[in-house]
Amino acid sequence: MSDGSSISSHDGHGPSFTFYPAIYVLPTHLSLESLHRVEECLLNRDARLTYDPSEARVFLGNIGQRKRAILELRSRGVCTELEMRSVPGGVHVDGALDLGTETESDGQTNQSTGHLKRARSSDAEVDGSFINSDLIRVVRLGWLEKCVEEKDLVPMDQYIIYQGRRVQHPDDKATKGSEILHRAQQDVSRPHRGTTHRGTTHRPPKLYKQSTSENEDTPPPAPDWVTNHVSYACMRSAPLHPPNERFIDQLVKIRKVRELTLDEIGVRAYSTSIAAIAAYPCEFRRASEVLALPGCDMKIANLFAEFQQSGDGSLVAASALDTDPVLRVLHHFYRIWGVGAKTARDFYYARQWRDLDDIVEHGWNSLSRVQQIGVKYYDELLEGIPRAEVEEIARVVHRHASAVRPGVECIVVGGYRRGKEASGDADLVLSHRDESATHNLVVDVVSSLETEGWITHTLALHLTTSTRDQQTLPLRHDTGNHFDTLDKALVVWQDPSFNDTSPSTPEKKKRNPNPHRRVDIIISPWRTVGCAVLGWSGDTTFERDLRRHAKKSRGWKFDSSGVRERTSGGQVIDLERGGETWQEREKLVMEGLGIGWRPPGERCTR
DNA sequence: TGGCAAATACTG
DNA sequence: CAGTAT
DNA sequence: GCCA
C-alpha cells in the first residue's frame, strides 16, 4: 500500500490508520459536509470506515461529554460497560455501570492520563495496547485533526471521551437474539473473499483510486432534491435504468425478504430508500453520498459500503433470498398469483409443502380457484411480456371495445408506459369522452373478448360505479359520485390463433402454444381519466408518495378514481377540467397536485 | 415515539 | 373475518 | 428503517 502513488491518496503526507480498528464517525453535531470531509480524510489514510456501530471500535465524533458518548453508543445499540484499566495510567473507575448519572466528568477526566503514555508512543506503536484489544473508544474529532496537523499518528489518549467493553443487550429480546444468530449463521456460510474477516468495513479501492486525479474525491454536486430534502418520490425523476441500478437490485432483494417475513415496515423503509437512490443521477463513490439522500441513513449507507467492497456487488442479506432454503421456498410460493406472504408461509410451515408438486399433490382442492390458475400457469405468468406483445394485446382490446362502444380510447399504462422492455402484465385503461359509454363497459368488453377466445380466465371482476350507479341512480349516474374505485377486470389472456400445421388428427385439437398472460382492463370515466392514467403509470413508491403528498400538502385524497377533499363528504376536486386529451389531463392533475409534470419514464421508483 | 397510502372487491 | 389483488 |  505504499508505492509512489500513495502520495496522492495520502495527501502526500498523512499518517496511515491501516492498523486501526474499524472507525465509525458519529454524525451528531456534524454538518453533512464536515462528515464527508472527515470520512474522506480517513479514507485517504487507509482507515477502515464502517457505518455499522456493531462492528466499530472507534467512534469518532464532535462531542465532548462522556455522558453524551454513552448516549450516542446506546442509541446505536452499542451497550458497553466502562473500562478504563488498559489506558496507560488511566483512572480506574469502579462502579463501572454508571450510564448517565455523571454530570461533571467529561473528557477532561481521562485526559489527565495523557502525559504518561506519551513518553512511550511516538511511532507506529501508538495506541498499540488498544488496537489489539476488544475495547470500544469514543474519541474526539480533535484526535484526527491533530494527526493531520502533525502529519503523523498521535496517541488517542488525550482525546478519549469514553472507553468501554461490549456487554450483552440488557433488553435483548428473542427477536433480536435470533436476528443476531441469523446474521452470525450467514456470516459463517458466507464465502469470504480475500484474507480478511472485516465484515462490512471497507477500504478505499486502491488501484482505482491511484489511477485517478487529485479531485477524484470530490463527489459530484448533490441534485436539488437532495439539498432541499425532497422526500417525496413523486417529485423526483427516477429513470428506468438509474446509475446505481446494481445496488438497487440488491436492496430490492432485501425488501423481498422483508415481504416474505411479514415485515411491512421494513418493506416501506426499503422502498423509500430505493426510490431515493433510483433518482440519484450518478454512481455513488462514497457511502456518505448515500447518507445525504432522504430516506437513507446509516443502515443503507452501510449496505452500500458492503456492496462496494464485495467483489461481485452482492449483499449477504440479499443473497439470502436465493441461498436460504426457507426463503427460497417462500419466494417460490409467493410468486404464485393469488398467494401472498401469509399464504406462502402457511404452505411452508403449516402444510409443510416445499414445491409446486407438493401443492398439486397434497392440497390442490384446498386452493382457491385463482390460486389453481396461478399454479397451473406459474411459469408463463412469470415471463415478462415483450413490448410488442403488449401493444398487440392493446390493439385487440381496443378493437373489441370499439365494437361495443365506438369512440372509446385505450391507453396502455403500467410498466409498459414507463418503458420497461418486458412487463409483468398488460395494464390498459379504457375511457370514453361520453361518460355514459363507460357504463357496463368492462362486462361488455370482457364477454366480447371471451367469446372470441382471448380471455381464458377471469381472475376478478371489480364492478363498482357502473352497476351501482345504474341500479340506484339511473338518472344521474355520473354526477359527482366518486366514492368508489374504478371498474376493472383482471384476466388471463392467450392469443387464440396459432398455426395448426398438422390437421392430421382433426379430433385432437392441438394445444395452443401461446403463453398465458396477465391483463388488467381498467375503466375510467373521462372526467377523471387523468387521475386514472396517473394512478396506473407509476411504480408503487411513486404512487404511495403521490397520495402522501396530496394528503400532507393539500389535505386531499388522491387515487386513480379522482381527487377529493379529506373532510367528510369530501368535495370532488377537479384538477383536469379543460384538458382535451388524456395526456393533457394527466399533466393538469400532476400540476394541480403540486408535484410538477414528469414523463412516465421518470416514475421508476422500483 | 408514532406514523408510514389507500380503498375496495372478492374468495373461502 | 383474514387474506390477496390492484 | 427513517423521520418529524
Side-chain angles (χ1 to χ4, degrees):
Chain A
M1 62 191 63
S2 52
D3 48 31
S5 54
S6 65
I7 291 170
S8 78
S9 68
H10 287 192
D11 298 337
H13 30 263
S16 168
F17 297 111
T18 309
F19 301 107
Y20 275 80
I23 300 175
Y24 180 107
V25 182
L26 294 163
T28 318
H29 298 155
L30 279 180
S31 69
L32 259 167
E33 298 83 65
S34 312
L35 185 59
H36 186 266
R37 240 185 38 246
V38 168
E39 184 191 52
E40 197 62 21
C41 177
L42 288 165
L43 283 174
N44 281 340
R45 291 164 178 81
D46 299 333
R48 278 160 39 206
L49 263 189
T50 183
Y51 295 84
D52 181 358
S54 68
E55 70 174 6
R57 287 197 33 237
V58 177
F59 291 80
L60 201 53
N62 187 18
I63 52 178
Q65 305 282 118
R66 174 192 291 171
K67 210 175 140 184
R68 180 78 210 186
I70 293 166
L71 197 74
E72 294 285 341
L73 291 182
R74 293 212 60 176
S75 76
R76 286 167 175 78
V78 179
C79 282
T80 57
E81 60 180 10
L82 189 59
E83 169 64 70
M84 284 289 135
R85 272 160 296 190
S86 79
V87 176
V91 180
H92 187 96
V93 181
D94 287 321
L97 281 169
D98 68 314
L99 295 176
T101 50
E102 239 180 283
T103 48
E104 59 135 357
S105 103
D106 56 10
Q108 306 307 319
T109 314
N110 310 327
Q111 287 181 26
S112 60
T113 70
H115 334 318
L116 291 177
K117 57 105 249 319
R118 179 159 342 177
R120 73 164 187 87
S121 57
S122 54
D123 58 342
E125 286 302 306
V126 169
D127 298 318
S129 61
F130 161 68
I131 287 167
N132 298 314
S133 72
D134 61 347
L135 291 171
I136 305 260
R137 277 181 180 175
V138 180
V139 181
R140 281 188 292 119
L141 215 43
W143 170 66
L144 179 62
E145 285 158 5
K146 183 71 172 174
C147 287
V148 170
E149 185 188 321
E150 301 280 323
K151 297 175 174 126
D152 194 8
L153 292 178
V154 169
M156 277 182 181
D157 307 37
Q158 286 181 282
Y159 302 90
I160 297 170
I161 299 157
Y162 172 79
Q163 177 170 269
R165 219 176 269 282
R166 279 185 203 281
V167 295
Q168 178 69 327
H169 251 277
D171 59 341
D172 211 356
K173 290 176 290 188
T175 51
K176 273 206 170 160
S178 67
E179 211 171 64
I180 290 164
L181 183 63
H182 185 58
R183 194 188 285 184
Q185 286 165 344
Q186 285 177 325
D187 281 347
V188 169
S189 61
R190 180 191 185 193
H192 285 289
R193 347 163 285 106
T195 59
T196 68
H197 58 283
R198 279 175 191 136
T200 58
T201 53
H202 69 294
R203 296 160 168 281
K206 289 284 173 50
L207 294 172
Y208 188 67
K209 283 196 60 150
Q210 285 172 2
S211 64
T212 49
S213 69
E214 160 76 5
N215 55 0
E216 65 195 1
D217 299 318
T218 314
D224 278 1
W225 57 266
V226 174
T227 25
N228 297 336
H229 305 109
V230 174
S231 56
Y232 293 105
C234 53
M235 301 181 78
R236 310 180 293 232
S237 284
L240 189 56
H241 296 294
N244 293 290
E245 189 170 18
R246 289 199 329 124
F247 180 43
I248 289 171
D249 289 340
Q250 295 294 304
L251 297 180
V252 167
K253 290 177 77 176
I254 298 181
R255 179 176 63 185
K256 181 73 72 185
V257 172
R258 304 312 184 118
E259 289 172 25
L260 294 172
T261 51
L262 308 182
D263 177 9
E264 294 174 32
I265 295 314
V267 171
R268 192 158 307 142
Y270 275 92
S271 295
T272 308
S273 313
I274 289 166
I277 296 168
Y280 198 68
C282 45
E283 254 190 273
F284 297 127
R285 301 153 78 189
R286 295 280 179 276
S288 56
E289 289 177 70
V290 180
L291 220 46
L293 306 195
C296 296
D297 209 315
M298 288 294 185
K299 177 72 181 186
I300 306 298
N302 187 42
L303 287 172
F304 176 73
E306 183 190 349
F307 171 82
Q308 199 175 41
Q309 70 97 55
S310 78
D312 55 355
S314 68
L315 300 177
V316 172
S319 308
L321 188 59
D322 320 302
T323 301
D324 184 290
V326 179
L327 289 175
R328 281 176 62 132
V329 176
L330 292 180
H331 191 203
H332 194 223
F333 291 160
Y334 184 67
R335 285 150 61 105
I336 300 170
W337 203 92
V339 173
K342 284 263 180 33
T343 309
R345 296 173 69 86
D346 182 59
F347 285 1
Y348 185 94
Y349 291 106
R351 320 284 196 94
Q352 308 254 302
W353 297 333
R354 294 297 179 266
D355 55 32
L356 295 191
D357 289 339
D358 289 341
I359 298 178
V360 174
E361 191 178 340
H362 303 116
W364 185 255
N365 291 321
S366 72
L367 299 186
S368 71
R369 188 185 67 94
V370 296
Q371 288 170 339
Q372 291 178 343
I373 294 167
V375 170
K376 199 164 174 183
Y377 303 112
Y378 185 82
D379 295 315
E380 293 180 20
L381 295 184
L382 285 176
E383 282 172 25
I385 314 177
R387 295 184 66 78
E389 196 181 329
V390 174
E391 290 156 18
E392 202 180 306
I393 292 168
R395 275 197 301 274
V396 174
V397 171
H398 187 225
R399 197 178 77 228
H400 283 252
S402 300
V404 295
R405 298 287 193 285
V408 72
E409 291 187 44
C410 178
I411 306 153
V412 187
V413 289
Y416 174 92
R417 184 156 182 251
R418 290 195 298 276
K420 287 181 73 176
E421 296 81 3
S423 307
D425 59 11
D427 297 311
L428 309 173
V429 171
L430 296 181
S431 189
H432 199 292
R433 286 156 193 269
D434 174 1
E435 295 217 7
S436 66
T438 50
H439 283 300
N440 291 322
L441 182 51
V442 227
V443 176
D444 293 347
V445 169
V446 166
S447 22
S448 177
L449 290 164
E450 269 173 344
T451 306
E452 214 176 283
W454 296 93
I455 291 177
T456 61
H457 310 267
T458 302
L459 296 169
L461 263 186
H462 289 216
L463 304 174
T464 54
T465 48
S466 302
T467 45
R468 192 173 312 160
D469 276 0
Q470 219 166 31
Q471 284 164 357
T472 58
L473 300 167
L475 292 180
R476 41 169 297 256
H477 41 254
D478 50 42
T479 32
N481 189 358
H482 286 277
F483 288 94
D484 20 29
T485 51
L486 306 175
D487 282 8
K488 55 179 172 260
L490 319 180
V491 305
V492 178
W493 178 279
Q494 186 186 37
D495 186 338
S497 57
F498 58 97
N499 281 348
D500 205 343
T501 47
S502 65
S504 55
T505 53
E507 313 84 31
K508 288 185 197 167
K509 283 181 190 166
K510 263 199 137 179
R511 217 178 72 79
N512 184 342
N514 295 322
H516 290 80
R517 305 300 200 187
R518 278 271 304 105
V519 175
D520 294 342
I521 298 170
I522 302 109
I523 311 297
S524 171
W526 187 257
R527 61 185 288 117
T528 56
V529 71
C531 293
V533 164
L534 175 59
W536 279 86
S537 294
D539 259 336
T540 313
T541 309
F542 182 94
E543 299 295 337
R544 194 230 295 150
D545 284 359
L546 259 186
R547 294 157 194 264
R548 210 158 54 91
H549 180 266
K551 172 157 134 181
K552 291 266 156 55
S553 79
R554 302 285 209 271
W556 291 345
K557 195 153 65 143
F558 170 86
D559 66 45
S560 61
S561 74
V563 179
R564 41 201 169 279
E565 214 77 60
R566 281 192 158 270
T567 57
S568 65
Q571 278 289 303
V572 172
I573 313 280
D574 188 357
L575 299 172
E576 56 186 278
R577 190 181 39 204
E580 272 307 306
T581 63
W582 60 263
Q583 289 95 334
E584 276 174 38
R585 297 179 74 94
E586 180 192 47
K587 194 172 177 202
L588 286 173
V589 174
M590 293 182 81
E591 285 163 354
L593 289 173
I595 61 168
W597 190 80
R598 58 187 34 74
E602 295 175 8
R603 306 176 200 167
C604 305
T605 53
R606 299 299 298 277

